[in-house]
Amino acid sequence: MNLLVTGGCGFIGSNFVRQRLAGNGAPLRTLVNLDKLTYAGNPANLADLARDSRYVFVEGDIGDAGLVARLLAGHAIDAVVNFAAESHVDRSIDSPEPFIQTNVVGTLRLLNAARQYWAKLPMERQRAFRFLHVSTDEVYGTLAPADRPFAETNRFEPNSPYAASKAASDHLVRAFHHTYGLPTLTTNCSNNYGPYQFPEKMIPLMILNALEGKPLPVYGDGLQVRDWLYVEDHCAAIWLVLQQGRVDETYNIGGLNEQTNLAVVRALCRLLDEQAPAGGGPGRDRLITFVTDRPGHDRRYAIDCAKIRRELGWAPRESFATGLAKTVGWYLAHLDWCRDITARKYARERLGTGAANSA
């Protein structure tokens, strides 16, 4: 298989690239990684793969239709996996327009380039071609405490500019199948965590702040509930959907681990106190600080992933306890990676200014 991955230098994308180049399953002839290298795209995530002859990195924009067309044809691409997106909710609240440009316009141009390429393929390769779009549970809106988890049949009710932009892109993917016949697949995942996550996200932010003795800012009362999915479980599910999923279907991918933001922060504090003791002083949970809530903050997300379990036999391997322990261990072992990102991306910002968010 020749695979085009967009946004492969980001958090989930880089974990997917690593897993595919190291993993089992259908062998890869070529994996092309197209990434614009915005603030969350970090080529250091994949620097050690530079000598792998199967790996090709291209710096560029999914909205550059000419570039995408050249990559598709030049590498005889068999499948596209689209991770490329602006994904930070707080940033979307501050400035929605980049989210529309990348997540809506960019996805549209990527779809159009893929459609034009696919239409010219021989019939056998047309039937085998796939376009997989990676999306989020935030398109479904929010849940009350007693509501059933989001299923693929839930209607879209996005509540942030980020979620609205992803909902729009999901609709475009569906439309390109129904209008043009492009063989598409969509996955909607819950909150990811694990290695290589950008340090403004909740879990790495809390780890790094706690190690430096900085406040651990938690939005509102901290009782917002999220379903936490270990990133390697997510990447394995994406690969399974790409290989075996039914065309024009959506598959929800969840970790089956609902936790409040406050519970997550407290669990991180306990793990850090165990793995990186701070000299016998009081526990790091003393650093927890409640701050003004995010505007329009969704109260609860939860994913019903019965469909992917039933049809494809997938289930997450990591519990929240095992996944979180692995995550803390990884960050403790890769503090240089964290410092490099902080120096390059936050030269004029303080790392601890953002509150514990849930995206």
Side-chain angles (χ1 to χ4, degrees):
M1 178 183 288
N2 295 321
L3 189 62
L4 173 62
V5 175
T6 67
C9 289
F11 166 43
I12 305 173
S14 63
N15 276 278
F16 180 81
V17 169
R18 287 184 164 280
Q19 195 174 88
R20 294 287 27 97
L21 290 175
N24 299 319
L28 290 178
R29 184 182 302 114
T30 304
L31 190 155
V32 180
N33 173 14
L34 173 63
D35 198 299
K36 192 177 178 180
L37 298 183
T38 59
Y39 61 89
N42 184 5
N45 293 359
L46 299 170
D48 57 314
L49 299 179
R51 295 184 180 180
D52 191 321
S53 61
R54 299 169 296 169
Y55 178 63
V56 178
F57 171 68
V58 178
E59 183 176 352
D61 191 339
I62 60 171
D64 185 342
L67 172 61
V68 173
R70 290 192 296 274
L71 293 177
L72 290 166
H75 294 278
I77 295 299
D78 300 301
V80 177
V81 182
N82 180 32
F83 293 98
E86 296 278 352
S87 65
H88 296 259
V89 175
D90 288 339
R91 289 177 182 261
S92 82
I93 293 170
D94 292 339
S95 182
E97 288 191 16
F99 289 74
I100 301 303
Q101 189 62 41
T102 297
N103 299 354
V104 183
V105 178
T107 300
L108 172 63
R109 291 177 178 170
L110 180 65
L111 280 163
N112 208 39
R115 175 184 68 86
Q116 292 172 354
Y117 165 76
W118 167 80
K120 297 176 183 177
L121 293 175
M123 187 61 66
E124 184 177 352
R125 290 192 62 206
Q126 276 194 2
R127 287 195 294 264
F129 185 85
R130 295 291 184 271
F131 184 106
L132 190 152
H133 175 65
V134 180
S135 191
T136 172
D137 57 3
E138 296 189 45
V139 300
Y140 298 123
T142 188
L143 293 168
D147 286 347
R148 294 177 61 85
F150 297 128
E152 291 84 354
T153 53
N154 276 69
R155 69 180 184 181
F156 283 11
E157 296 181 328
N159 291 323
S160 70
Y162 160 64
S165 70
K166 289 298 289 185
S169 66
D170 290 11
H171 286 312
L172 284 170
V173 172
R174 173 183 168 84
F176 264 68
H177 173 74
H178 284 268
T179 302
Y180 305 111
L182 184 69
T184 61
L185 298 152
T186 299
T187 59
N188 293 84
C189 69
S190 57
N191 274 41
N192 278 230
Y193 68 102
Y196 298 103
Q197 190 168 26
F198 192 63
E200 78 178 13
K201 290 290 194 170
M202 176 175 144
I203 287 179
L205 174 68
M206 294 299 153
I207 292 171
L208 299 177
N209 276 18
L211 289 173
E212 296 179 14
K214 294 181 178 179
L216 308 181
V218 176
Y219 278 136
D221 59 9
L223 299 183
Q224 303 87 355
V225 175
R226 301 296 183 260
D227 173 22
W228 291 92
L229 172 65
Y230 191 62
V231 66
E232 292 183 7
D233 283 336
H234 183 200
C235 292
I238 290 170
W239 182 239
L240 187 61
V241 171
L242 183 66
Q243 294 180 98
Q244 300 180 24
R246 290 185 289 132
V247 168
D248 190 37
E249 291 291 325
T250 294
Y251 292 90
N252 281 352
I253 305 171
L256 304 177
N257 287 306
E258 288 189 57
Q259 303 282 338
T260 67
N261 286 347
L262 185 57
V264 172
V265 176
R266 285 175 171 161
L268 286 169
C269 289
R270 289 193 297 271
L271 285 167
L272 288 167
D273 289 343
E274 294 169 4
Q275 297 187 29
R284 290 186 172 93
D285 58 1
R286 76 188 188 281
L287 299 171
I288 294 173
T289 304
F290 294 95
V291 299
T292 303
D293 206 355
R294 167 198 288 165
H297 201 170
D298 290 336
R299 194 63 174 173
R300 175 177 171 241
Y301 304 141
I303 281 285
D304 178 353
C305 49
K307 178 178 177 179
I308 190 173
R309 182 193 296 268
R310 181 178 64 252
E311 293 191 10
L312 305 182
W314 177 87
R317 292 186 176 184
E318 298 292 343
S319 68
F320 188 63
T322 60
L324 200 64
K326 286 183 177 182
T327 301
V328 170
W330 187 89
Y331 279 94
L332 289 175
H334 292 83
L335 292 176
D336 288 345
W337 176 89
C338 300
R339 294 188 187 101
D340 179 64
I341 289 183
T342 302
R344 289 187 296 109
K345 306 295 186 182
Y346 285 98
R348 297 185 180 183
E349 299 179 34
R350 294 181 62 189
L351 186 60
T353 57
N357 58 57
S358 46

